[in-house]
Every structure is written in structure tokens, then in C-alpha cells.
């Protein structure tokens, strides 16, 4: 970081928004996106909602998602401590582990928000193995809008992140700065909830 600051060249960090930055940043508010999905699940009538994600100490992005989701639950006066954390290399297996752990802690569990679509897909696979109907018995939502989200059955409700727009905006910021035009320190591309059959 020190070398980049000393170089006095335009620097754009991507996929971050709220963290400290070197020069410019393009991304979106991860916590706000998770908060919005939490509000969606609450509006659908779910009251015993769990969270499945990676250990937040390993990656601040996942901590922001968790905190945004917990804020939605607290504002609705719902329990915000039904949390499951797995190692980042868990993949689809993390969804299975999350389902086991969260159902053991809360038998009335009626929805789970996953910090990545990979977890959510693994969770849906595990529900199918045990005859748990999604979303009738358990709603599932993810984050990322990966390709699998639109192909799995039921199709996954998720947060769509705008990677293409982030790349475009980063290029524009570098060009603006290089050509002497004003460029914002932070550029928010926003997020989108993609609501499908799983919730």
C-alpha cells in the first residue's frame, strides 16, 4: 500500500466500498445488500431465520454481510444469533453442515440466508436428501447470483452483484483521473435482489 501511495498514480480498488482505501474505490455496500435480503425474508413472514457463512475473522466482506443481515433481524425484533460459520474451503459441504447445525439449535428454523450461493446450493441439495421442501418447510437465500442460482431446483433467491459494472466504473475512474477530470473517491454501483422460488 505504501508503494502505491508513493507512486502518485491513479489507484482504483474494486469490490470494496466501506473499507479504508488508497485512492479510489468501486463497489457497493455489502451490509446494505444483506440487510435488504433480511428484510425480504422477514416480509415473507419468516421468523426463525439463520445465517450461514464463512468465519468473519477470515474475510471482512463476510463480516459486513453478516452484520447487515443481523441488523435487519434486530430491527424486526427477531433473534440475530442463529449463526453458522465454516472455513472458506468448505464449498457445497458448508451448506450441509449449516443445515445440520442450525436445525439442531432451532427446531422451528424456517429460513436460512447464506453469505454465498455455493453454501445455499449445498443447503438445498441437503434439503432434497432429507425430504425438506424448499421453501414450504425452509426458505433459502444466497448471495452472488452465481450461474447455479438460476439452474438449481428450486431456483435460488439471491443478491446480484454487479461485477461487469464494477469493471466499467473502475476503468472510467482511471481515465478521468489520468485526463485531469474530477473523479469520486468512492463509486457505488449498487446491488439487486433477485427473488426466485427458494424464498
Amino acid at each position: 500500500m505504501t508503494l502505491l501511495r508513493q507512486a502518485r498514480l491513479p489507484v482504483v480498488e474494486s469490490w470494496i466500498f466501506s473499507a479504508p482505501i488508497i485512492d479510489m474505490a468501486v463497489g457497493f455496500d455489502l451490509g446494505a445488500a444483506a440487510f435488504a435480503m433480511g428484510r425480504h425474508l422477514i416480509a415473507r413472514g419468516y421468523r426463525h431465520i439463520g445465517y450461514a457463512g464463512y468465519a468473519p475473522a477470515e474475510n471482512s466482506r463476510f463480516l459486513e454481510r453478516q452484520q447487515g443481515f443481523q441488523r435487519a433481524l434486530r430491527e424486526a425484533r427477531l433473534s440475530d444469533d442463529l449463526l453458522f460459520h465454516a472455513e472458506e474451503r468448505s464449498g457445497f459441504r458448508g451448506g450441509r453442515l449449516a443445515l445440520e447445525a442450525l436445525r439442531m439449535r432451532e427446531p422451528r428454523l424456517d429460513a436460512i440466508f447464506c453469505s454465498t450461493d455455493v453454501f445455499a446450493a449445498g443447503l438445498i441439495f441437503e434439503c432434497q436428501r432429507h425430504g425438506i421442501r424448499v421453501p414450504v418447510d425452509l426458505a433459502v437465500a444466497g448471495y452472488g447470483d452465481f450461474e447455479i442460482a438460476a439452474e438449481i431446483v428450486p431456483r435460488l433467491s439471491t443478491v446480484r452483484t454487479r461485477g461487469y459494472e464494477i469493471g466499467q466504473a473502475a476503468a472510467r475512474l482511471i481515465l478521468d483521473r489520468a485526463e485531469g477530470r474530477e473523479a469520486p473517491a468512492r463509486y457505488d454501483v449498487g446491488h439487486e435482489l433477485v427473488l426466485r422460488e427458494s424464498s
Side-chain angles (χ1 to χ4, degrees), residues 37-108:
M37 184 57 81
R39 291 287 300 270
H40 161 71
L41 293 173
I42 293 163
R44 296 281 294 170
Y46 303 113
R47 291 297 177 265
H48 306 284
I49 308 173
Y51 171 88
Y54 297 119
E58 296 177 12
N59 192 317
S60 62
R61 290 177 299 147
F62 295 115
L63 178 59
E64 289 181 48
R65 295 175 196 184
Q66 177 183 312
Q67 290 175 335
F69 185 68
Q70 287 178 295
R71 182 164 58 89
L73 295 178
R74 284 194 302 272
E75 287 189 8
R77 298 186 178 180
L78 299 176
S79 172
D80 71 342
D81 62 353
L82 283 173
L83 308 174
F84 172 83
H85 297 124
E87 298 175 351
E88 276 201 55
R89 60 180 176 271
S90 299
F92 294 116
R93 177 174 172 266
R96 175 174 63 79
L97 298 174
L99 182 64
E100 293 172 357
L102 291 171
R103 290 185 83 207
M104 188 173 296
R105 287 186 53 198
E106 175 51 82
R108 298 170 297 173

Side-chain angles (χ1 to χ4, degrees), residues 95-169:
R96 175 174 63 79
L97 298 174
L99 182 64
E100 293 172 357
L102 291 171
R103 290 185 83 207
M104 188 173 296
R105 287 186 53 198
E106 175 51 82
R108 298 170 297 173
L109 187 73
D110 54 10
I112 300 178
F113 172 59
C114 300
S115 69
T116 169
D117 287 349
V118 173
F119 262 27
L123 206 152
I124 289 176
F125 295 150
E126 189 66 9
C127 284
Q128 291 168 347
R129 278 192 283 270
H130 291 278
I132 299 167
R133 298 167 299 169
V134 177
V136 177
D137 302 322
L138 181 71
V140 180
Y143 197 110
D145 197 27
F146 301 163
E147 184 178 359
I148 195 171
E151 302 300 329
I152 197 170
V153 178
R155 297 186 307 154
L156 181 65
S157 293
T158 186
V159 175
R160 176 174 292 158
T161 57
R162 297 172 169 160
Y164 185 82
E165 290 84 350
I166 286 174
Q168 283 186 318

